[in-house]
């Protein structure tokens, strides 16, 4: 099934995640599954061997390593995972016109607009600077939270990609699906969000539309 949106090449590139960090902390099921398979193979070899002690010990070691990787991953949250969660909070705040949530996710000098390579309806997103101005515009365009004139009935994040440009800066690409009240319409869009760690909290400093279904 074709996914609505721009060509992959039209999306901004994000920095690569270090492979060790990705598979130890963010996608641990890959090494865990590999270690479990190796353990099972060693166990089968041991059961068929006249000297099973070595293979069985190896199997136990692999299982212990698999458990260690899984537990460690559950205890470590990477900055990419943090800004992925923050992206969901930001999109939810905007879609729901939640002023308090917008204030907690956006920096005071945040900028809203469209990217330089924006296409379709995305080019019509106005360039705004400042959290207060963005909050006011969101309420005007989408409607205030809880009002019967709300433009957005529901929203869903379909995909989020995250990358770190530095120790305290990062970016996310997010694909969003929005439905109007009573499923009056369905709209898909891609956005890029720039994040900066300010006083130990990741806050959005730039929100840009890349593509909006039109």
């Amino acid at each position: 099934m074709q996914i609505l949106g721009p060509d992959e090449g039209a999306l901004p590139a994000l920095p690569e995640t270090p492979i060790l960090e990705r598979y130890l902390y963010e996608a641990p099921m890959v090494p865990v599954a590999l270690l479990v398979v190796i353990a099972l193979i060693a166990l089968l070899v041991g059961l068929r061997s006249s000297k099973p002690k070595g293979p069985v010990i190896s199997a136990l070691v692999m299982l212990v390593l698999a458990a260690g990787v899984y537990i460690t991953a559950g205890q470590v949250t990477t900055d990419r995972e943090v800004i992925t969660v923050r992206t969901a909070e930001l999109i939810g705040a905007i879609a729901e016109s939640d002023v308090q949530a917008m204030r907690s996710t956006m920096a005071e000098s945040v900028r809203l607009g469209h990217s330089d390579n924006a296409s379709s309806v995305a080019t019509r997103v106005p360039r705004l600077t400042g959290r207060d101005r963005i909050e006011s515009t969101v309420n005007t365009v989408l409607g205030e939270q809880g009002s019967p004139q709300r433009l957005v009935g529901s929203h869903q994040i379909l995909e989020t990609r995250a990358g770190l440009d530095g120790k305290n800066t990062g970016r996310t690409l997010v694909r969003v699906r929005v439905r109007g009240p009573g499923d009056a319409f369905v709209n898909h869009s891609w956005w890029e969000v720039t994040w900066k760690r300010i006083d130990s909290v990741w806050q959005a400093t730039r929100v840009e539309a890349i593509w909006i279904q039109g």
Side-chain angles (χ1 to χ4, degrees):
M1 181 178 66
Q2 184 178 7
I3 297 176
L4 288 173
D7 294 335
E8 187 68 24
L11 297 175
L14 295 176
E16 291 289 336
T17 302
I19 189 169
L20 190 61
E21 186 173 333
R22 173 182 293 278
Y23 289 117
L24 282 182
Y25 303 133
E26 297 177 359
M29 294 312 298
V30 174
V32 167
L34 180 60
L35 289 168
V36 170
V37 169
I38 294 174
L40 290 175
I41 293 173
L43 187 59
L44 289 174
V45 170
L47 292 175
R48 296 178 179 179
S49 173
S50 59
K51 296 180 179 180
K53 184 177 179 180
V56 170
I57 290 176
S58 297
L60 291 175
V61 170
M62 293 299 105
L63 290 175
V64 170
L65 287 175
V69 170
Y70 183 79
I71 292 172
T72 299
Q75 294 176 337
V76 175
T77 302
T78 67
D79 287 329
R80 274 175 297 276
E81 291 175 318
V82 172
I83 61 176
T84 296
V85 172
R86 294 289 282 170
T87 298
E89 295 172 348
L90 172 66
I91 296 300
I94 294 174
E96 298 166 13
S97 301
D98 188 332
V99 173
Q100 184 175 356
M102 280 191 277
R103 286 190 169 275
S104 70
T105 53
M106 295 191 299
E108 187 174 354
S109 58
V110 62
R111 291 179 291 125
L112 172 69
H114 56 269
S115 65
D116 293 336
N117 62 335
S119 60
S120 188
V121 183
T123 57
R124 303 176 192 172
V125 174
R127 298 187 184 276
L128 305 173
T129 299
R131 188 170 56 199
D132 291 341
R133 189 179 179 192
I134 292 173
E135 290 169 359
S136 176
T137 302
V138 167
N139 282 339
T140 299
V141 175
L142 300 184
E144 294 186 7
Q145 188 179 33
S147 68
Q149 290 79 29
R150 290 279 296 131
L151 180 63
V152 177
S154 65
H155 75 281
Q156 182 180 3
I157 293 177
L158 302 178
E159 181 182 354
T160 304
R161 307 177 190 179
L164 297 178
D165 295 300
K167 182 179 179 181
N168 295 309
T169 57
R171 286 177 292 137
T172 51
L173 299 177
V174 57
R175 183 163 65 98
V176 184
R177 180 171 62 202
V178 171
R179 295 182 182 274
D183 289 342
F185 64 86
V186 178
N187 182 273
H188 293 76
S189 59
W190 272 97
W191 301 79
E192 181 181 19
V193 184
T194 300
W195 296 91
K196 184 176 181 180
R197 191 176 355 227
I198 303 173
D199 296 331
S200 300
V201 178
W202 286 97
Q203 294 184 311
T205 58
R206 182 172 57 89
V207 181
E208 292 189 339
I210 300 172
W211 178 87
I212 298 176
Q213 180 182 2

